[in-house]
Amino acid sequence: MCAAGCGRGPEAGRLDDDAVLSEKELRLALVCYGGVSLAVYMHGVTKEILKLARASKAYHGIPEVDERQGLGFADTVRGADEHDSEAVYFEILQTIGRRLDLRVVVDIVAGASAGGINGVILARALAHDLSIEGLREVWLHQADVAELLAPERKASRWSKWFMKPLLWGYSWMGMRELRADVEMRGKLSMFLRSRWFRPPFSGRGLALTLLNGIGAMPAMAGPTSSLLPLGQRLELFVTVTDFFGYLRNIRIHDPPVVREREHRHVLRFAYCRWPNGDLVTDFDDENVPALAFASRATSSFPGAFPPAQIAEMQRVLDENGHGWARREEFLARNFAHYRDAGADPLLTSFLDGSVLNNKPLAEAIQAIRDRPAFRQVDRRIVYVDPDPMGPPPPASGQRPGFFRTLKGALSDIPRQEPIYDDLIWVAGFNQRVRRASAMVEATRERVLGLVAELAPDAFTGPLSPERVSAWRETAVAYAAREAGFVHAGYLGLRRLSVLGATAELLGRLAGREPDMDGGLLHAMQHWGRLAADDDSDGRSHAAPETGDLLRRFDVDFRRRRVRFVIRALNLLYGRLGSAGLAGLSSRDLDRVKARLYAQLDAMRTADARALGRAREDARLMRLAEADFAAAWAAADADPDALLAAHGELMDAAMASLAEALDLASTDLETDVLISEISATELSDTARQELLTAYIGFAFWDVITFPLANWRDLGEFDEIRVDRISPDDAVAIRSGGAKAVLKGIEFGHFGAFFSRAHRENDYLWGRLQGAERLIDLLFDAARLEGAEAELDVRALKKRAFQIVLAAERRHLDTAAGLIDELEREVAAI
């Protein structure tokens, strides 16, 4: 169905014949806060985000640009598919598409508590293009106190009968809404009279509901369909709290190692279909039990639900005839550091993720690093905060009371931990990006001249891989000579980066997290330090000198170089049609970049191959063993003595690893690719830009790498932060959460007591989600000067009308609210 507002006039689809489309990818990293029963509101918001991603895929699934302007969203889907607001997002992309080809991709999702459940559902739907329409009724029916209460906890007719008159009196004296809502009054009475001093809600019941709901998400298209572009990685982070915690080693000065208890934990899931056809997914049917456990654990609100346990999920699966085929893989991937600490995740208990990490922006920020871009990127962190904190009450000079102090210390204050530090990091990151970009642009003409001097006929003469390789190596030597003492510091940073990456790889060999206790890193750094020692005569072993070390092990340098070339090509999209680029189209650039991304994919495959070969090497496995790292991390370790004892082993193992990595072949493959592209697929100007970036990268890396904190500048684009909340969506009503949401009552538990409350919050989630996403699309277009034809107010009004019409038949108690909202929307 295509609701009202899908029609377009005869001129709507016409492209300006002289217009040259630039291309941009709007990448969203979504962060969903906790909020107890406000999970229903967040379900409405995340549904709109899914619909936007689906509209973008449908729009870009039309191969011909002109044809995109003549179709509607309804023309791109099967007749039986249910859709509504997708039509508006599709129309916006069409309108923007006359000037800017904008692709929307959600590639990172992080959530805590109620936001964690919604994050799991959204990420699974994005990964495999699944429908979440059936989950509307799960939220509206199952998120009810009568369904959540454990059967043995429910009050009978005469349980705590003395509470009834108290509740009745309270409703008349204090809360008019409680007095008017018979369902809410009855269910609140049952809840308060139920058995206490044990969690009233059923953990196993919640686990089964989540298992069935997450499992019952039908595919919208074929079995290989996804809302992620080919080669693009989706990551999901779900926070939980380990009640017992586990010990982690931390290196300090004196004593060298201390042990601290860690309670915060993050469960990680990923998806990617690589260009060569390989599929990596943690969101398929076999992983539904793991996703359900993550949802159950992150939402185990203390006191309301019993703590979650892996054994509980296994019992639920066994009782209902389900298997968990990939359980060991899930445990190995998410709890490797438990094994290193001597802890067993099967024996621990997990509380709500919002206890210690209610606002997981840090996880989203970390994932943004090292993300390559297929087009120019507009990177956004979008966080959903259903009930933003207002200003604190003024200090009265009086001490808070006993219970208020306990509640604040144990619940309120930890859950409201500010995101100030995370946003300050984003600001610092953006500053580094601007600084690095400015340095690249400031030195561009100079590097162009140097490349022309070193490779005088590179831009016009015949090319061969051997010539490209010779020019590249000449540029490296020239950069070292011209940079002077600065180059020594640059090489030192690269050496440290390589040794750190090697320590991480050795940890992966042993199935551990990155080397947090510092043992392997300590060993690698002492081994690598030998490369900087002048007096190496007489040693029975010796690490390779710095240049050799980087040639044999610096995989990241090769990746940075290819991504830098891609960045140079990205800048050409905005110049298409100009002098020197005539005849070159965005599709030509896409084809070239696809080949470069295939090369990055080949590097990834080579990494995996090398890791597989390394597992067969006894020397490398010995190096990766925990007791080897423990020896180096021990308080009384003498590095020189340990190196004397293990140096020959390290030399031989590292030589084997270098052979497995075979970076010389990687360099040759890339040289071949660059020579082929430059000779056959680009105009002279584009060829000059590509070769300048590739050959001249040695000059630019000396400048930018020390600024990049080793791996920060993967996308080389700034990060913008946007919020979705009732405070920001004011097109229909202003006043924030208090003016529109019912779930904020009873400490955010209010929607559990009334279906009418849940329908209200779900509907507002959809409306406000649609409003803020339209704002986001408009802003992305505005940054490129493509917003002029968008009537934002009319688009929002049409989206609201479509959502209200679509939801009317599903929301049994909201007819009056929908009538009221339709009148308010008509007045916009």
Side-chain angles (χ1 to χ4, degrees):
M1 72 177 193
C2 186
C6 295
R8 295 176 303 283
E11 302 298 318
R14 183 171 297 171
L15 279 173
D16 185 344
D17 291 338
D18 297 326
V20 176
L21 290 182
S22 58
E23 300 195 3
K24 182 186 249 187
E25 191 169 87
L26 178 60
R27 286 193 179 182
L28 306 183
L30 181 70
V31 180
C32 297
Y33 288 6
V36 199
S37 75
L38 291 174
V40 185
Y41 171 86
M42 282 187 276
H43 177 61
V45 172
T46 52
K47 177 177 278 192
E48 288 304 309
I49 293 170
L50 179 64
K51 287 175 176 289
L52 172 58
R54 185 162 287 129
S56 179
K57 181 192 176 184
Y59 178 73
H60 290 91
I62 303 170
E64 297 297 329
V65 173
D66 288 335
E67 187 180 354
R68 292 175 186 173
Q69 294 295 316
L71 298 174
F73 180 79
D75 300 316
T76 69
V77 296
R78 298 172 300 185
D81 290 343
E82 183 177 350
H83 54 85
D84 41 66
S85 58
E86 292 97 331
V88 177
Y89 302 132
F90 190 93
E91 181 181 342
I92 294 172
L93 293 173
Q94 273 181 322
T95 305
I96 295 172
R98 297 171 200 158
R99 295 280 184 267
L100 172 69
D101 188 13
L102 184 68
R103 183 189 298 266
V104 182
V105 176
V106 184
D107 64 339
I108 297 167
V109 181
S113 191
I117 299 177
N118 281 290
V120 166
I121 292 168
L122 176 63
R124 175 161 151 80
L126 290 167
H128 295 290
D129 194 5
L130 306 179
S131 172
I132 64 171
E133 288 299 320
L135 290 170
R136 176 200 296 106
E137 189 56 29
V138 174
W139 281 112
L140 297 180
H141 177 69
Q142 297 295 133
D144 187 281
V145 67
E147 301 297 325
L148 293 171
L149 278 172
E152 66 274 13
R153 308 277 192 274
K154 287 185 180 179
S156 67
R157 183 177 181 182
W158 296 106
S159 298
K160 299 181 184 174
W161 58 267
F162 56 85
M163 292 288 293
K164 289 186 176 182
L166 292 176
L167 184 65
W168 178 84
Y170 179 68
S171 68
W172 280 97
M173 293 171 57
M175 293 187 63
R176 286 184 301 172
E177 186 151 351
L178 184 58
R179 182 164 71 244
D181 193 324
V182 175
E183 179 193 8
M184 189 171 191
R185 192 166 67 245
K187 288 181 177 175
L188 184 60
S189 171
M190 178 183 65
F191 179 74
L192 292 175
R193 293 183 296 107
S194 295
R195 295 176 60 187
W196 283 87
F197 301 106
R198 296 186 67 183
F201 294 154
S202 170
R204 295 172 72 176
L206 177 61
L208 181 59
T209 297
L210 292 168
L211 183 68
N212 291 336
I214 294 170
M217 294 169 59
M220 296 290 287
T224 62
S225 180
S226 173
L227 297 181
L228 275 295
L230 196 66
Q232 190 109 337
R233 182 177 174 85
L234 169 68
E235 289 184 277
L236 167 68
F237 304 91
V238 181
T239 68
V240 296
T241 305
D242 185 333
F243 180 81
F244 297 104
Y246 57 94
L247 292 176
R248 305 198 77 166
N249 293 335
I250 303 174
R251 293 192 63 81
I252 63 172
H253 173 61
D254 188 13
V257 177
V258 295
R259 306 183 77 191
E260 293 288 335
R261 188 177 297 275
E262 178 65 86
H263 293 272
R264 289 182 300 177
H265 189 53
V266 179
L267 301 175
R268 294 170 167 84
F269 303 85
Y271 165 90
C272 185
R273 184 178 291 280
W274 296 97
N276 65 3
D278 289 348
L279 174 65
V280 177
T281 181
D282 298 324
F283 298 102
D284 57 2
D285 290 344
E286 288 187 339
N287 278 290
V288 166
L291 295 168
F293 170 76
S295 302
R296 160 74 176 96
T298 192
S299 57
S300 300
F301 194 90
F305 289 97
Q309 293 184 323
I310 295 170
E312 173 196 68
M313 178 57 68
Q314 188 64 65
R315 285 194 297 272
V316 170
L317 291 165
D318 293 342
E319 290 168 0
N320 291 275
H322 298 291
W324 192 347
R326 297 178 65 179
R327 190 182 87 157
E328 296 310 311
E329 180 184 331
F330 166 71
L331 294 176
R333 186 176 64 249
N334 283 282
F335 297 98
H337 49 294
Y338 275 65
R339 184 192 64 191
D340 295 342
D344 187 349
L346 298 178
L347 301 180
T348 196
S349 298
F350 298 95
L351 305 179
D352 195 299
S354 66
V355 172
L356 295 176
N357 193 358
N358 189 45
K359 303 175 180 180
L361 260 76
E363 284 69 29
I365 289 170
Q366 182 65 33
I368 287 172
R369 303 180 183 188
D370 202 31
R371 286 294 178 105
F374 187 71
R375 289 168 174 80
Q376 180 185 358
V377 163
D378 182 353
R379 163 59 76 186
R380 306 290 178 113
I381 294 177
V382 179
Y383 67 95
V384 183
D385 187 355
D387 188 17
M389 290 290 290
S396 63
Q398 296 182 342
R399 293 192 181 115
F402 176 76
F403 288 107
R404 186 179 175 192
T405 300
L406 285 179
K407 181 174 181 292
L410 299 178
S411 177
D412 295 344
I413 294 175
R415 287 171 59 84
Q416 297 304 328
E417 182 182 359
I419 58 174
Y420 177 82
D421 290 342
D422 294 328
L423 296 184
I424 287 294
W425 184 92
V426 170
F429 173 87
N430 289 341
Q431 187 176 33
R432 291 196 298 277
V433 169
R434 288 191 290 269
R435 210 178 278 164
S437 297
M439 287 184 173
V440 169
E441 293 308 312
T443 56
R444 183 178 176 278
E445 291 301 321
R446 172 62 175 152
V447 173
L448 183 62
L450 287 172
V451 172
E453 179 184 335
L454 297 173
D457 57 346
F459 303 149
T460 56
L463 286 177
S464 68
E466 292 77 18
R467 300 192 79 193
V468 171
S469 177
W471 291 330
R472 172 175 55 75
E473 292 182 359
T474 300
V476 170
Y478 194 93
R481 186 167 63 251
E482 290 298 304
F485 71 89
V486 173
H487 198 261
Y490 161 73
L491 289 182
L493 283 175
R494 279 184 62 188
R495 185 174 65 246
L496 289 173
S497 175
V498 167
L499 295 171
T502 304
E504 288 185 19
L505 187 144
L506 290 170
R508 286 168 59 195
L509 276 177
R512 297 201 306 272
E513 265 200 338
D515 187 36
M516 295 299 295
D517 62 12
L520 283 172
L521 180 60
H522 203 45
M524 287 296 101
Q525 287 175 341
H526 275 280
W527 178 77
R529 186 190 63 188
L530 300 179
D533 291 344
D534 294 328
D535 182 16
S536 58
D537 295 336
R539 287 202 308 261
S540 60
H541 60 88
E545 295 193 10
T546 298
D548 190 32
L549 182 78
L550 300 182
R551 277 190 294 273
R552 294 165 66 191
F553 296 102
D554 198 349
V555 182
D556 284 340
F557 176 84
R558 276 79 173 180
R559 294 188 181 118
R560 288 199 306 276
R561 183 168 59 201
V562 174
R563 286 173 183 156
F564 191 79
V565 173
I566 292 171
R567 175 186 180 274
L569 294 178
N570 282 337
L571 297 177
L572 296 181
Y573 284 102
R575 297 167 53 193
L576 291 176
S578 63
L581 294 176
L584 188 69
S585 71
S586 61
R587 288 196 178 179
D588 295 330
L589 289 177
D590 281 352
R591 280 193 295 269
V592 170
K593 288 165 60 181
R595 296 188 68 185
L596 292 168
Y597 278 113
Q599 179 62 10
L600 286 175
D601 181 38
M603 292 182 190
R604 175 197 66 85
T605 306
D607 279 356
R609 240 185 355 257
L611 204 61
R613 285 181 57 188
R615 288 194 175 96
E616 299 172 1
D617 191 311
R619 296 164 299 182
L620 276 164
M621 293 307 298
R622 172 71 185 91
L623 216 61
E625 288 176 2
D627 60 344
F628 183 90
W632 282 86
D636 57 351
D638 180 345
D640 292 328
L642 285 168
L643 200 57
H646 300 292
E648 292 184 7
L649 167 68
M650 295 180 72
D651 291 344
M654 294 300 287
S656 177
L657 181 60
E659 182 182 343
L661 288 172
D662 192 14
L663 294 185
S665 294
T666 298
D667 287 335
L668 178 58
E669 290 167 3
T670 310
D671 292 339
V672 170
L673 176 62
I674 293 296
S675 65
E676 290 178 353
I677 291 173
S678 300
T680 62
E681 300 189 39
L682 295 176
S683 66
D684 288 345
T685 299
R687 169 177 168 166
Q688 176 177 306
E689 294 292 340
L690 180 139
L691 287 172
T692 299
Y694 186 69
I695 297 170
F697 177 71
F699 301 106
W700 275 309
D701 201 47
V702 173
I703 301 169
T704 59
F705 185 64
L707 292 176
N709 194 19
W710 292 359
R711 299 176 190 178
D712 274 357
L713 302 185
E715 287 181 344
F716 224 92
D717 293 282
E718 294 187 37
I719 301 170
R720 297 179 177 91
V721 182
D722 298 87
R723 183 177 71 173
I724 297 177
S725 83
D727 285 8
D728 312 307
V730 295
I732 302 176
R733 288 184 195 174
S734 58
K738 289 184 179 179
V740 297
L741 299 185
K742 305 296 186 182
I744 62 173
E745 299 170 3
F746 301 114
H748 292 168
F749 278 78
F752 289 153
F753 295 97
S754 169
R755 181 179 176 107
H757 282 21
R758 294 191 292 280
E759 291 188 4
N760 173 91
D761 289 4
Y762 162 72
L763 186 59
W764 276 109
R766 286 208 62 188
L767 294 169
Q768 295 188 338
E771 177 178 350
R772 293 297 289 148
L773 291 178
I774 292 173
D775 288 338
L776 188 65
L777 291 171
F778 177 83
D779 188 60
R782 179 187 59 79
L783 292 172
E784 300 300 320
E787 85 286 5
E789 298 178 68
L790 289 175
D791 185 342
V792 176
R793 182 178 298 180
L795 288 164
K796 288 182 179 180
K797 185 173 182 177
R798 187 150 65 250
F800 297 153
Q801 290 169 335
I802 289 174
V803 169
L804 291 171
E807 293 295 349
R808 181 180 284 277
R809 68 179 182 273
H810 298 293
L811 305 183
D812 299 336
T813 69
L817 171 64
I818 292 174
D819 291 340
E820 183 180 347
L821 288 171
E822 284 179 339
R823 290 191 294 270
E824 294 182 47
V825 169
I828 293 177

